[in-house]
Amino acid sequence: QSALTQPASVSGSPGQSITISCTGTTSDVGGFNYVSWYQQHPGKAPKLIIYDVKVRPSGVSARFSGSKSGNTASLTISALQADDEADYYCNSFTRSNTLIFGGGTKLTVL
Amino acid sequence: EVQLVESGGALVQPGGSLRLSCAVSGFTVSSHYLTWVRQAPGKGLEWVSTIYSGDVTNYADSVRGRFTISRDTSRNTLFLQMDSLRVDDTAVYYCARGADFDYWGQGTLVTVS
């Protein structure tokens, strides 16, 4: 199964908002409310920032929010900060009872 | 405090075998789903395998038949037995907890060359 589709890169200035999309099919993103998002800084393990499409774990900034429409999930980061510069990955449960990641998006804070 | 610590990564020749371990603390391996995720150098994350309740398991097509996930409740440890290793299995291997991967280990590097 191919990876979920994410833009390779996005950028924004401090204080701005950006949105990262994650497109799948009715067999994964569109079929279940089990989409999660991870932030990964270079050389570090990924960190969970959103699960079940829009739920923020305890301790994650409210500047991170998630949503879904049809087969596309989205991660929005508001009031960008320098430390938000990282790679972001989406993940979805699938009809085959497997899990699938997106290809990853590199966020650059200008 | 929840912690996951991977070990066992090494340099191995194609066709060889390796067993990775993930020692957990702060919870029991029997109480949560547990997953292996890998990341090839400079590449994205790839789901490898999950062990569910009742020791039900599932695998990515790329490793099915070659890798085996298991857990030892007496040692509170997750394992990944990797056989018939290929060059494209080269990656950092992470273990992660739960259906949402709420906690991750630091990763262990497997190089097949």
Side-chain angles (χ1 to χ4, degrees):
Chain A
Q1 187 172 7
S2 300
L4 304 175
T5 300
Q6 296 181 232
S9 63
V10 298
S11 62
S13 300
Q16 289 185 331
S17 294
I18 62 94
T19 297
I20 299 171
S21 61
C22 170
T23 300
T25 69
T26 54
S27 294
D28 38 66
V29 174
F32 307 92
N33 287 324
Y34 295 130
V35 176
S36 50
W37 290 90
Y38 304 87
Q39 176 192 61
Q40 187 180 34
H41 286 108
K44 301 294 188 182
K47 173 189 174 184
L48 175 67
I49 55 174
I50 295 287
Y51 68 96
D52 292 352
V53 176
K54 58 184 179 181
V55 182
R56 260 190 332 274
S58 173
V60 173
S61 171
R63 298 184 301 105
F64 294 90
S65 62
S67 63
K68 191 184 83 167
S69 178
N71 296 336
T72 298
S74 298
L75 171 71
T76 297
I77 309 174
S78 60
L80 272 177
Q81 300 177 357
D83 189 54
D84 296 333
E85 185 161 295
D87 294 326
Y88 291 84
Y89 294 91
C90 61
N91 176 271
S92 175
F93 183 76
T94 81
R95 183 179 298 171
S96 304
N97 200 30
T98 61
L99 295 157
I100 185 168
F101 282 96
T105 298
K106 180 177 179 60
L107 169 61
T108 300
V109 180
L110 302 170
Chain B
E1 181 189 8
V2 171
Q3 285 193 319
L4 299 90
V5 179
E6 302 94 338
S7 61
L11 171 64
V12 62
Q13 293 184 339
S17 297
L18 208 56
R19 188 174 83 153
L20 305 183
S21 300
C22 172
V24 314
S25 57
F27 69 100
T28 61
V29 293
S30 57
S31 64
H32 288 77
Y33 299 170
L34 291 165
T35 293
W36 288 98
V37 174
R38 69 184 181 184
Q39 186 169 34
K43 302 298 184 181
L45 301 173
E46 179 186 14
W47 173 77
V48 173
S49 178
T50 296
I51 186 164
Y52 301 95
S53 304
D55 287 344
V56 173
T57 60
N58 206 352
Y59 300 90
D61 288 344
S62 57
V63 307
R64 184 174 289 114
R66 300 186 300 121
F67 290 10
T68 304
I69 190 172
S70 64
R71 55 187 162 196
D72 184 332
T73 55
S74 66
R75 297 166 61 181
N76 217 27
T77 301
L78 174 73
F79 299 102
L80 185 68
Q81 176 66 40
M82 303 186 296
D83 299 317
S84 303
L85 281 162
R86 309 189 302 219
V87 171
D88 62 359
D89 293 320
T90 294
V92 173
Y93 285 73
Y94 296 100
C95 57
R97 188 187 82 160
D100 302 309
F101 312 157
D102 57 352
Y103 287 91
W104 296 65
Q106 83 290 349
T108 187
L109 176 62
V110 173
T111 303
V112 185
S113 177

